Amino acid sequence: MLSKLYYALIILFFITNTADAAPLIPSVNVGVGTAENPQDVSSTLQIMAVLTIATIAPGILLMTTSFVRIVVIIGFLRNAIATQNVPPNQVIIGLAMFLTFYIMAPYWSVANEQGIQPYLNGQISQEEALDNTLAPIREFMFRQTREADIALFVNLSDAERPETQEDVSTFVLIPAFMISELKTAFQIGFMIYVPFIVIDMIVATTLMSMGMMMLPPVMISLPFKILLFVMIDGWHLLINSIITSFR
């Protein structure tokens, strides 16, 4: 079910106007009536299941991309500088989403070319389209996932030890990918914290030596941390480091 949902999500990004395909606009009819045969009941249950899962679709899409690492790193940066709500959450989420689109674009493009477009043109079956669409996404997750994390969830699921990447289930790969992303984000976040902690220590030591213990060190260190971040072109370095970390 999760694989089919992910396949449907990728379709939403690519079913648009193309040179050799007309726009696909579904006709939706909603009505309440009496089921005349078991097939009608089955179709109704499938629609209800799809609508229910669609509510968590954005979460599934974001948790299988680079979004987690990006938003956590930027959150660490904001806390390290101690600028409270600057940049605001909306800006952080927006920046993380567009960076995610930029990083995932090559993989989604391969999924579209090898899986979605051939299926829409009737060249391959639904099962083949599903496998071809998931293949580049799984490749991305495998590149960012540590073997120890995969082994953890394989052992917890009591599954057989996989011999190749194809033997690893998507249900095992996704949580392993997520905790690997969190560890990487925390490692980068620690490196971001170090120079700003040094500034805080220098300011606090200076204030104590001057006998100004009642003055909060954060008030004095904040302008210096912002100045340092601007002088080194911090956003350029940070975004470059984030994108490079996925390659």
Side-chain angles (χ1 to χ4, degrees):
M1 178 64 73
L2 183 60
S3 299
K4 292 184 178 180
L5 174 59
Y6 202 96
Y7 171 61
L9 291 174
I10 299 298
I11 290 180
L12 295 179
F13 283 95
F14 293 103
I15 298 183
T16 55
N17 293 334
T18 58
D20 50 359
L24 180 60
I25 303 177
S27 176
V28 179
N29 297 319
V30 179
V32 179
T34 303
E36 299 180 355
N37 52 64
Q39 288 75 13
D40 294 339
V41 178
S42 176
S43 300
T44 302
L45 293 177
Q46 291 178 6
I47 294 175
M48 293 178 61
V50 170
L51 293 177
T52 301
I53 298 177
T55 59
I56 62 173
I60 295 176
L61 180 62
L62 296 179
M63 294 305 154
T64 54
T65 61
S66 58
F67 180 84
V68 174
R69 184 188 304 186
I70 297 172
V71 75
V72 171
I73 292 175
I74 298 178
F76 269 116
L77 172 66
R78 186 173 68 177
N79 292 333
I81 302 179
T83 52
Q84 300 299 326
N85 293 324
V86 179
N89 293 331
Q90 294 85 345
V91 175
I92 293 178
I93 297 299
L95 177 60
M97 290 186 62
F98 279 102
L99 288 177
T100 298
F101 295 153
Y102 176 81
I103 294 171
M104 298 301 298
Y107 300 94
W108 287 341
S109 177
V110 173
N112 177 55
E113 294 175 0
Q114 297 183 358
I116 297 176
Q117 293 301 327
Y119 174 70
L120 295 178
N121 295 331
Q123 300 174 355
I124 58 178
S125 64
Q126 182 178 1
E127 290 74 13
E128 294 175 332
L130 178 60
D131 294 338
N132 294 344
T133 301
L134 287 178
I137 309 302
R138 284 170 55 89
E139 178 186 356
F140 168 78
M141 289 193 287
F142 272 117
R143 287 184 176 181
Q144 312 303 326
T145 307
R146 301 190 307 273
E147 293 184 3
D149 294 328
I150 296 178
L152 170 65
F153 287 97
V154 170
N155 294 332
L156 292 177
S157 62
D158 294 328
E160 297 182 359
R161 181 175 181 178
E163 299 295 336
T164 62
Q165 292 183 352
E166 288 73 16
D167 298 332
V168 178
S169 170
T170 304
F171 294 100
V172 171
L173 178 59
I174 291 178
F177 167 76
M178 290 177 61
I179 64 174
S180 294
E181 286 292 278
L182 288 175
K183 180 177 181 179
T184 304
F186 272 67
Q187 291 174 338
I188 298 176
F190 172 78
M191 299 303 297
I192 292 175
Y193 254 96
V194 171
F196 297 111
I197 290 178
V198 172
I199 294 178
D200 287 333
M201 294 176 62
I202 293 175
V203 171
T205 302
T206 304
L207 292 178
M208 291 184 64
S209 64
M210 297 174 62
M212 305 175 64
M213 293 178 292
M214 301 301 295
L215 182 63
V218 176
M219 294 183 59
I220 306 301
S221 63
L222 178 59
F224 288 101
K225 290 190 286 188
I226 295 177
L227 178 62
L228 172 64
F229 190 73
V230 172
M231 290 181 61
I232 65 174
D233 197 2
W235 285 112
H236 176 86
L237 294 176
L238 178 66
I239 300 304
N240 179 66
S241 299
I242 291 176
I243 295 178
T244 305
S245 68
F246 287 99
R247 297 178 178 176

